[in-house]
Amino acid sequence: QHPATLRSSRPTTCMQAAAIWATIVALLPASTVSAGLGSPPFGLAAGQTFVGHYTCASKAWLFLTVETATAEAVEAVFHFVYPGSTQHGAFTMHGTWVSGRILKLVPGDWLRPPPEKVVPIGLAGLVMPAADDVPGSADPQRIKGEVLHMGCGEFEVNRTAPALAEGGSEAQAGGAGGGGEAAVRTGVYS
């Protein structure tokens, strides 16, 4: 069962969303939100993919792909997969910069008809540089925050960097908090 379903919860009201925002901003030190780390879009660019998870009663895999990013807005695609089930899907997201490095993404249109009784969810998170110990770094490596839906919790995604090698296909995933790089090799075996 998909945790963000009409059956298990209802969409967040304006008052609930305002309370979530107040909590996010209050918990973040002002230096984290607005430290001189550039200005929107804080290094976000078309083609970047962030991979991680979000929680709505249970954890799901999240693939967030940036389509466009400007000082005014961010367009992205939210792909989700619930491990151990057949529930997966994707929808567009439209984002705005709320305060400093905080990005609010609201759901748009489904790319394909959604799984039964599944509703799209929004995200509010902090776009973070490569590492806290790299002052002035504006290269986004992680987005972490809250899912904007009643009954849901947090999300965290790390930027991936695919690398294709001659003679095969390899992908490397890394990012802040990843503890290194992991290589995955795919190919045709005879």
Side-chain angles (χ1 to χ4, degrees):
Q1 168 180 322
H2 188 286
T5 63
L6 296 174
R7 184 177 31 182
S8 63
S9 64
R10 57 185 170 78
T12 305
T13 66
C14 290
M15 293 295 285
Q16 291 164 330
I20 291 170
W21 277 109
T23 302
I24 290 171
V25 173
L27 292 175
L28 296 171
S31 61
T32 302
V33 176
S34 60
L37 297 175
S39 58
F42 300 105
L44 286 180
Q48 292 175 339
T49 298
F50 293 80
V51 178
H53 69 275
Y54 70 98
T55 304
C56 283
S58 66
K59 282 191 178 181
W61 297 335
L62 168 57
F63 303 87
L64 189 65
T65 303
V66 178
E67 299 290 315
T68 62
T70 68
E72 293 78 36
V74 174
E75 301 293 323
V77 175
F78 180 109
H79 301 263
F80 67 90
V81 175
Y82 276 89
S85 80
T86 60
Q87 291 192 319
H88 60 91
F91 52 88
T92 61
M93 298 195 90
H94 312 286
T96 55
W97 299 101
V98 177
S99 173
R101 298 178 75 86
I102 297 177
L103 177 64
K104 178 182 179 183
L105 292 162
V106 296
D109 297 326
W110 287 96
L111 297 180
R112 294 187 180 164
E116 190 174 315
K117 297 185 181 181
V118 173
V119 297
I121 56 176
L123 303 172
L126 181 64
V127 177
M128 294 186 264
D132 294 335
D133 60 350
V134 183
S137 173
D139 188 30
Q141 292 297 318
R142 181 170 43 176
I143 305 172
K144 184 175 181 177
E146 293 292 318
V147 176
L148 300 178
H149 193 284
M150 188 173 164
C152 296
E154 63 184 24
F155 80 94
E156 181 174 352
V157 289
N158 294 299
R159 186 168 156 199
T160 64
L164 296 178
E166 196 174 318
S169 174
E170 291 186 24
Q172 292 184 348
E181 295 185 35
V184 178
R185 180 177 297 266
T186 59
V188 179
Y189 298 97
S190 52

